[in-house]
Amino acid sequence: MTLTLRYFTAIMFTLLFSSHSKAQTMGNFIKASIGYGSSSSYYIEDYGSQEEVDVMGGGLYLQAEYVLGVKSWLSIRPYAGAIFESVDKDQNIQNQPQYKVTTNAFLMGGKVRICAPIPWVAPFIEGGIGTSIGKFETFTPNINFNKSDVLLHIPFSIGLALGRKNSLEIGISGYFHPAAKQSTSVFAIGYSIPLD
C-alpha cells in the first residue's frame, strides 16, 4: 500500500510540475560542437579486391549553432560548421583504382529540434536543410563524382542533452548530399553557453 502511494505521489508531482521544467531549448544559446565525421556512398558497392581497403573518408567535424528557444521542447537552430576528411592510401594495391568517398566543406543552414524537457537527460531529434560549400569526391565502382561546388544537404540528428541545465550534448548526426550520392555520419560532443 505504501509503495502504491509513493508511485501515485511521484506521478502527480511529475504531472503538476512538468510545465515548470525547462530544457536547454528555453532561451538563447550558442552551442559549439566537435567530433568525428565519416563519409560513405549511398549504395552498397562491390570493391572487388579492395574489400579490405578503407574507402570511406574520415576526419574532423566542427560546428557552431545559435539556439533560439521557442518552447521548452522546441528550438530553431541556424548553424555553421566544417568537415575535413581524408582516406588512407594503401600503396600495396597495384593496378587498382583508389576508390574513396570524402567531403571537405563548410556547412551552413537551419535545423529544428524537438527535445523532451527533462533535466539531466533529455533525448532530442532534429532535422532541417542546408548548403555545403567545398570539395566532394565519391569515386566507387558505380559513381564518379568529383567536384568543388555548392550542394544542398539535409541534416538529421538524434542525441541526449545532459546535465542539470542540459548544457552538455552527445549525439549522432547525418548530413545527406543527394547530388554527390554520399552521406556523412558524425559523432559529436557539444556544449551550450546561455546568452540570456
Side-chain angles (χ1 to χ4, degrees):
M1 182 73 177
T2 309
L3 191 58
T4 306
L5 183 60
R6 286 183 186 167
Y7 284 137
F8 177 75
T9 305
I11 291 169
M12 291 306 292
F13 182 78
T14 303
L15 290 174
L16 291 173
F17 295 103
S18 64
S19 64
H20 296 291
S21 68
K22 293 182 179 176
Q24 170 234 312
T25 54
M26 287 296 290
N28 297 329
F29 294 81
I30 295 287
K31 185 186 119 186
S33 300
I34 187 168
Y36 178 79
S38 178
S39 292
S40 64
S41 168
Y42 272 4
Y43 307 106
I44 297 173
E45 304 274 1
D46 179 13
Y47 293 102
S49 64
Q50 293 193 28
E51 289 176 2
E52 296 179 9
V53 176
D54 185 15
V55 298
M56 294 170 49
L60 179 66
Y61 167 82
L62 302 166
Q63 183 171 287
E65 298 177 11
Y66 181 71
V67 181
L68 303 164
V70 179
K71 298 280 186 186
S72 63
W73 53 272
L74 179 68
S75 64
I76 298 170
R77 297 167 171 260
Y79 64 89
I83 188 158
F84 305 103
E85 297 176 343
S86 63
V87 175
D88 293 333
K89 294 190 177 185
D90 190 342
Q91 300 300 325
N92 295 329
I93 297 179
Q94 299 296 326
N95 302 319
Q96 293 289 326
Q98 292 293 317
Y99 295 124
K100 58 185 171 179
V101 182
T102 60
T103 301
N104 289 288
F106 293 99
L107 314 167
M108 60 184 147
K111 300 184 281 188
V112 173
R113 175 183 287 188
I114 297 172
C115 181
I118 305 168
W120 296 104
V121 179
F124 64 83
I125 185 169
E126 59 188 25
I129 193 162
T131 188
S132 302
I133 304 165
K135 182 169 178 58
F136 306 88
E137 190 166 16
T138 310
F139 180 47
T140 68
N142 296 320
I143 305 162
N144 188 3
F145 185 92
N146 185 359
K147 285 187 181 179
S148 295
D149 208 346
V150 178
L151 300 180
L152 168 84
H153 71 252
I154 301 165
F156 177 80
S157 303
I158 58 171
L160 295 172
L162 306 171
R164 187 169 58 87
K165 295 183 180 179
N166 302 126
S167 299
L168 183 66
E169 293 180 8
I170 56 171
I172 299 170
S173 302
Y175 293 88
F176 302 95
H177 294 94
K181 302 212 174 15
Q182 65 169 251
S183 60
T184 302
S185 301
V186 174
F187 176 76
I189 297 173
Y191 188 77
S192 297
I193 301 163
L195 298 177
D196 296 338

